[in-house]
Amino acid sequence: GAEIVLEDVTKSYPNQKAAAVDHVSLTIPAGEVVVLVGPSGCGKTTTMRMINRLIEPTSGRITIGGKDALSIDPNELRRTIGYSIQQAGLFPHMTIAQNVGMVPGLIGWNKKKISDRTDEMLDLVGLDPGQYRERYPRQLSGGQQQRVGVARALAADPPVLLMDEPFGAVDPITRGLLQDELMRLQAELGKTIVFVTHDFDEAVKLGDRIAVLGNQSRILQYDTPEAVLAN
Ligand code: ADP
Ligand code: ADP
């Protein structure tokens, strides 16, 4: 994985009184799982989108593996970060296989390797490739679409995973299996994982550290799950 550092990062959207993220500094160590928790509207998604450079901070700096996020070219960013979101964000006009194989295709993997990897990733999220490869997103349930979103984020084997409530619509049994899978990816492959959830049990299970954000869009506490629970 790669270390991610936020230095005094603020994001203000136009026509909004309060900042969405207000002077946040946070070091996410390489190879750890850091979970962001906090009330709706405290800036969790905005933080994730800034790390993935979908939006720019108003002020402050973000580095990934020591490089300023704004200086990383789009191709390198694609290889570095896998991103999965609650709404899954699948391309409706593309099949499940095309969605999962998109980033590997963009970074130049050959067809056979993409196809094998797509099947492997669908298996990993509990979707039978034979049954689902050629379907379109609208033919899947919300939970199944989320699982495809996770498969897509993992497909190119990026060192960093940004996961924004990736399992919200997934049934509890499958969710438990996917949580275990993420922990395996961290333990065996050293992925750096930033994970957003509303579910405190999930935060405690997955997190090496938990960042608790408050209504003021600032970090209230950043510590181990044990220390956060004790507080
Ligand atoms: P969370 O993920 O913790 O629920 P968000 O990052 O989505 O929080 O939102 C933080 C704040 O920024 C909220 O007040 C939200 O209304 C506001 N916000 C989010 N996205 C936009 C946007 N595109 N334009 C204006 N305000 C936004
Ligand atoms: P564009 O620049 O036209 O948005 P991209 O190919 O950069 O096209 O990304 C298109 C969409 O693909 C993004 O909106 C995002 O949802 C998804 N995406 C991009 N990079 C990744 C990634 N590393 N992992 C998973 N999904 C990604």
Side-chain angles (χ1 to χ4, degrees):
E3 183 185 60
I4 300 167
V5 181
L6 284 76
E7 291 171 46
D8 200 22
V9 169
T10 292
K11 173 67 188 178
S12 304
Y13 291 106
N15 307 317
Q16 299 281 318
K17 265 177 281 174
V21 171
D22 198 5
H23 297 285
V24 164
S25 295
L26 182 69
T27 296
I28 297 156
E32 291 201 4
V33 182
V34 168
V35 182
L36 309 183
V37 295
S40 179
C42 71
K44 303 182 296 294
T45 293
T46 299
T47 301
M48 299 293 260
R49 291 174 61 83
M50 285 191 291
I51 297 171
N52 204 23
R53 231 182 57 185
L54 297 167
I55 53 176
E56 276 189 38
T58 308
S59 63
R61 204 165 89 104
I62 299 176
T63 60
I64 301 170
K67 286 187 202 164
D68 193 314
L70 297 179
S71 74
I72 301 175
D73 80 77
N75 252 318
E76 188 180 350
L77 200 71
R78 272 199 203 100
R79 289 173 205 271
T80 305
I81 296 179
Y83 185 54
S84 80
I85 59 172
Q86 183 172 23
Q87 304 79 4
L90 304 179
F91 298 106
H93 58 285
M94 284 163 49
T95 64
I96 299 309
Q98 287 168 338
N99 269 283
V100 175
M102 183 192 75
V103 176
L106 288 172
I107 65 175
W109 291 18
N110 71 44
K111 279 187 180 162
K112 167 87 172 110
K113 188 173 169 196
I114 294 171
S115 177
D116 290 349
R117 181 70 175 174
T118 296
D119 288 354
E120 187 191 341
M121 291 300 100
L122 288 174
D123 273 328
L124 183 136
V125 299
L127 295 170
D128 173 21
Q131 201 178 340
Y132 289 100
R133 270 188 77 96
E134 302 310 323
R135 292 200 197 183
Y136 285 87
R138 65 173 179 279
Q139 299 170 307
L140 271 60
S141 73
Q144 288 174 329
Q145 288 184 35
Q146 272 194 341
R147 286 147 73 182
V148 175
V150 171
R152 183 175 67 175
L154 300 178
D157 200 19
V160 174
L161 296 172
L162 302 178
M163 314 199 81
D164 192 344
E165 299 195 55
F167 308 145
V170 175
D171 67 90
I173 292 172
T174 307
R175 184 185 312 168
L177 295 171
L178 292 177
Q179 288 168 344
D180 293 344
E181 197 54 51
L182 277 192
M183 291 162 78
R184 189 187 67 77
L185 288 172
Q186 178 208 16
E188 292 181 10
L189 301 177
K191 307 274 187 204
T192 304
I193 303 176
V194 190
F195 195 99
V196 168
T197 182
H198 276 104
D199 178 348
F200 205 72
D201 291 336
E202 183 169 52
V204 169
K205 175 175 174 181
L206 291 177
D208 294 303
R209 294 162 201 250
I210 298 178
V212 183
L213 286 89
N215 279 318
Q216 305 305 315
S217 299
R218 298 203 176 121
I219 293 181
L220 302 179
Q221 197 183 3
Y222 183 43
D223 217 325
T224 61
E226 296 73 22
V228 171
L229 280 170
N231 198 289

mmCIF file of all heavy atoms in Angstrom, residues 46-66:
data_model
loop_
_atom_site.group_PDB
_atom_site.id
_atom_site.type_symbol
_atom_site.label_atom_id
_atom_site.label_comp_id
_atom_site.label_asym_id
_atom_site.label_seq_id
_atom_site.Cartn_x
_atom_site.Cartn_y
_atom_site.Cartn_z
ATOM 1 N N THR A 46 -16.923 13.645 0.782
ATOM 2 C CA THR A 46 -16.085 14.717 0.234
ATOM 3 C C THR A 46 -14.605 14.387 0.417
ATOM 4 O O THR A 46 -13.796 14.566 -0.499
ATOM 5 C CB THR A 46 -16.443 16.062 0.905
ATOM 6 O OG1 THR A 46 -17.816 16.366 0.628
ATOM 7 C CG2 THR A 46 -15.558 17.190 0.410
ATOM 8 N N THR A 47 -14.247 13.862 1.593
ATOM 9 C CA THR A 47 -12.863 13.472 1.851
ATOM 10 C C THR A 47 -12.415 12.385 0.876
ATOM 11 O O THR A 47 -11.334 12.478 0.275
ATOM 12 C CB THR A 47 -12.720 12.974 3.311
ATOM 13 O OG1 THR A 47 -13.111 14.030 4.190
ATOM 14 C CG2 THR A 47 -11.303 12.548 3.623
ATOM 15 N N MET A 48 -13.243 11.364 0.699
ATOM 16 C CA MET A 48 -12.908 10.271 -0.223
ATOM 17 C C MET A 48 -12.735 10.797 -1.646
ATOM 18 O O MET A 48 -11.810 10.413 -2.364
ATOM 19 C CB MET A 48 -14.016 9.219 -0.200
ATOM 20 C CG MET A 48 -14.216 8.575 1.159
ATOM 21 S SD MET A 48 -12.821 7.557 1.660
ATOM 22 C CE MET A 48 -13.491 5.947 1.232
ATOM 23 N N ARG A 49 -13.636 11.680 -2.057
ATOM 24 C CA ARG A 49 -13.569 12.207 -3.429
ATOM 25 C C ARG A 49 -12.337 13.081 -3.635
ATOM 26 O O ARG A 49 -11.777 13.110 -4.731
ATOM 27 C CB ARG A 49 -14.852 12.973 -3.765
ATOM 28 C CG ARG A 49 -16.071 12.033 -3.888
ATOM 29 C CD ARG A 49 -17.381 12.796 -4.068
ATOM 30 N NE ARG A 49 -17.397 13.609 -5.271
ATOM 31 C CZ ARG A 49 -17.697 13.166 -6.498
ATOM 32 N NH1 ARG A 49 -18.024 11.907 -6.676
ATOM 33 N NH2 ARG A 49 -17.671 13.969 -7.529
ATOM 34 N N MET A 50 -11.894 13.752 -2.572
ATOM 35 C CA MET A 50 -10.661 14.542 -2.710
ATOM 36 C C MET A 50 -9.446 13.631 -2.821
ATOM 37 O O MET A 50 -8.536 13.903 -3.606
ATOM 38 C CB MET A 50 -10.501 15.504 -1.523
ATOM 39 C CG MET A 50 -11.440 16.699 -1.595
ATOM 40 S SD MET A 50 -11.044 17.983 -0.392
ATOM 41 C CE MET A 50 -11.486 17.183 1.159
ATOM 42 N N ILE A 51 -9.411 12.541 -2.047
ATOM 43 C CA ILE A 51 -8.272 11.620 -2.138
ATOM 44 C C ILE A 51 -8.211 11.019 -3.548
ATOM 45 O O ILE A 51 -7.145 10.887 -4.138
ATOM 46 C CB ILE A 51 -8.348 10.511 -1.066
ATOM 47 C CG1 ILE A 51 -8.280 11.101 0.348
ATOM 48 C CG2 ILE A 51 -7.206 9.505 -1.261
ATOM 49 C CD1 ILE A 51 -8.560 10.095 1.460
ATOM 50 N N ASN A 52 -9.382 10.679 -4.099
ATOM 51 C CA ASN A 52 -9.440 10.108 -5.454
ATOM 52 C C ASN A 52 -9.415 11.184 -6.538
ATOM 53 O O ASN A 52 -9.584 10.889 -7.708
ATOM 54 C CB ASN A 52 -10.704 9.248 -5.617
ATOM 55 C CG ASN A 52 -10.550 8.213 -6.708
ATOM 56 O OD1 ASN A 52 -9.444 7.827 -7.060
ATOM 57 N ND2 ASN A 52 -11.664 7.761 -7.265
ATOM 58 N N ARG A 53 -9.239 12.417 -6.112
ATOM 59 C CA ARG A 53 -9.082 13.555 -7.011
ATOM 60 C C ARG A 53 -10.262 13.791 -7.946
ATOM 61 O O ARG A 53 -10.109 14.267 -9.062
ATOM 62 C CB ARG A 53 -7.796 13.408 -7.822
ATOM 63 C CG ARG A 53 -6.975 14.647 -7.740
ATOM 64 C CD ARG A 53 -5.750 14.563 -8.534
ATOM 65 N NE ARG A 53 -5.973 14.283 -9.934
ATOM 66 C CZ ARG A 53 -5.007 14.077 -10.822
ATOM 67 N NH1 ARG A 53 -3.747 14.121 -10.422
ATOM 68 N NH2 ARG A 53 -5.267 13.845 -12.066
ATOM 69 N N LEU A 54 -11.430 13.393 -7.488
ATOM 70 C CA LEU A 54 -12.632 13.735 -8.252
ATOM 71 C C LEU A 54 -12.985 15.197 -8.003
ATOM 72 O O LEU A 54 -13.649 15.824 -8.815
ATOM 73 C CB LEU A 54 -13.787 12.815 -7.847
ATOM 74 C CG LEU A 54 -13.545 11.334 -8.164
ATOM 75 C CD1 LEU A 54 -14.559 10.445 -7.462
ATOM 76 C CD2 LEU A 54 -13.580 11.107 -9.668
ATOM 77 N N ILE A 55 -12.563 15.716 -6.837
ATOM 78 C CA ILE A 55 -12.680 17.149 -6.546
ATOM 79 C C ILE A 55 -11.382 17.614 -5.891
ATOM 80 O O ILE A 55 -10.634 16.797 -5.336
ATOM 81 C CB ILE A 55 -13.878 17.469 -5.602
ATOM 82 C CG1 ILE A 55 -13.820 16.612 -4.331
ATOM 83 C CG2 ILE A 55 -15.211 17.288 -6.325
ATOM 84 C CD1 ILE A 55 -14.909 16.960 -3.323
ATOM 85 N N GLU A 56 -11.129 18.912 -5.969
ATOM 86 C CA GLU A 56 -9.903 19.466 -5.387
ATOM 87 C C GLU A 56 -10.189 20.139 -4.053
ATOM 88 O O GLU A 56 -11.232 20.782 -3.913
ATOM 89 C CB GLU A 56 -9.326 20.540 -6.322
ATOM 90 C CG GLU A 56 -8.470 19.980 -7.421
ATOM 91 C CD GLU A 56 -7.739 21.101 -8.172
ATOM 92 O OE1 GLU A 56 -7.293 22.080 -7.533
ATOM 93 O OE2 GLU A 56 -7.635 20.975 -9.403
ATOM 94 N N PRO A 57 -9.265 20.029 -3.107
ATOM 95 C CA PRO A 57 -9.424 20.788 -1.867
ATOM 96 C C PRO A 57 -9.427 22.289 -2.165
ATOM 97 O O PRO A 57 -8.783 22.730 -3.108
ATOM 98 C CB PRO A 57 -8.183 20.427 -1.048
ATOM 99 C CG PRO A 57 -7.587 19.232 -1.694
ATOM 100 C CD PRO A 57 -8.026 19.240 -3.128
ATOM 101 N N THR A 58 -10.145 23.042 -1.331
ATOM 102 C CA THR A 58 -10.100 24.500 -1.418
ATOM 103 C C THR A 58 -8.750 24.995 -0.898
ATOM 104 O O THR A 58 -8.163 25.925 -1.431
ATOM 105 C CB THR A 58 -11.242 25.113 -0.584
ATOM 106 O OG1 THR A 58 -12.460 24.494 -0.986
ATOM 107 C CG2 THR A 58 -11.342 26.609 -0.770
ATOM 108 N N SER A 59 -8.271 24.328 0.171
ATOM 109 C CA SER A 59 -6.926 24.619 0.667
ATOM 110 C C SER A 59 -6.378 23.376 1.352
ATOM 111 O O SER A 59 -7.118 22.440 1.650
ATOM 112 C CB SER A 59 -6.951 25.805 1.645
ATOM 113 O OG SER A 59 -7.726 25.478 2.775
ATOM 114 N N GLY A 60 -5.078 23.376 1.578
ATOM 115 C CA GLY A 60 -4.428 22.207 2.168
ATOM 116 C C GLY A 60 -3.880 21.299 1.084
ATOM 117 O O GLY A 60 -3.966 21.614 -0.099
ATOM 118 N N ARG A 61 -3.323 20.163 1.523
ATOM 119 C CA ARG A 61 -2.594 19.318 0.589
ATOM 120 C C ARG A 61 -2.855 17.852 0.898
ATOM 121 O O ARG A 61 -2.980 17.461 2.052
ATOM 122 C CB ARG A 61 -1.103 19.600 0.765
ATOM 123 C CG ARG A 61 -0.259 19.271 -0.445
ATOM 124 C CD ARG A 61 1.095 19.950 -0.262
ATOM 125 N NE ARG A 61 1.982 19.046 0.450
ATOM 126 C CZ ARG A 61 2.969 18.366 -0.162
ATOM 127 N NH1 ARG A 61 3.187 18.506 -1.446
ATOM 128 N NH2 ARG A 61 3.742 17.561 0.528
ATOM 129 N N ILE A 62 -2.929 17.039 -0.148
ATOM 130 C CA ILE A 62 -3.077 15.593 0.007
ATOM 131 C C ILE A 62 -1.928 14.926 -0.722
ATOM 132 O O ILE A 62 -1.659 15.237 -1.889
ATOM 133 C CB ILE A 62 -4.430 15.106 -0.564
ATOM 134 C CG1 ILE A 62 -5.594 15.771 0.196
ATOM 135 C CG2 ILE A 62 -4.530 13.579 -0.497
ATOM 136 C CD1 ILE A 62 -6.967 15.445 -0.346
ATOM 137 N N THR A 63 -1.232 14.008 -0.032
ATOM 138 C CA THR A 63 -0.196 13.236 -0.711
ATOM 139 C C THR A 63 -0.529 11.753 -0.636
ATOM 140 O O THR A 63 -1.108 11.272 0.333
ATOM 141 C CB THR A 63 1.207 13.470 -0.110
ATOM 142 O OG1 THR A 63 1.183 13.070 1.269
ATOM 143 C CG2 THR A 63 1.623 14.918 -0.203
ATOM 144 N N ILE A 64 -0.190 11.047 -1.712
ATOM 145 C CA ILE A 64 -0.381 9.594 -1.792
ATOM 146 C C ILE A 64 0.974 8.993 -2.113
ATOM 147 O O ILE A 64 1.565 9.316 -3.144
ATOM 148 C CB ILE A 64 -1.412 9.250 -2.893
ATOM 149 C CG1 ILE A 64 -2.750 9.928 -2.591
ATOM 150 C CG2 ILE A 64 -1.577 7.728 -3.007
ATOM 151 C CD1 ILE A 64 -3.755 9.848 -3.722
ATOM 152 N N GLY A 65 1.469 8.164 -1.207
ATOM 153 C CA GLY A 65 2.807 7.608 -1.395
ATOM 154 C C GLY A 65 3.854 8.699 -1.557
ATOM 155 O O GLY A 65 4.796 8.557 -2.330
ATOM 156 N N GLY A 66 3.661 9.793 -0.823
ATOM 157 C CA GLY A 66 4.641 10.877 -0.846
ATOM 158 C C GLY A 66 4.484 11.862 -1.995
ATOM 159 O O GLY A 66 5.184 12.873 -2.049
#
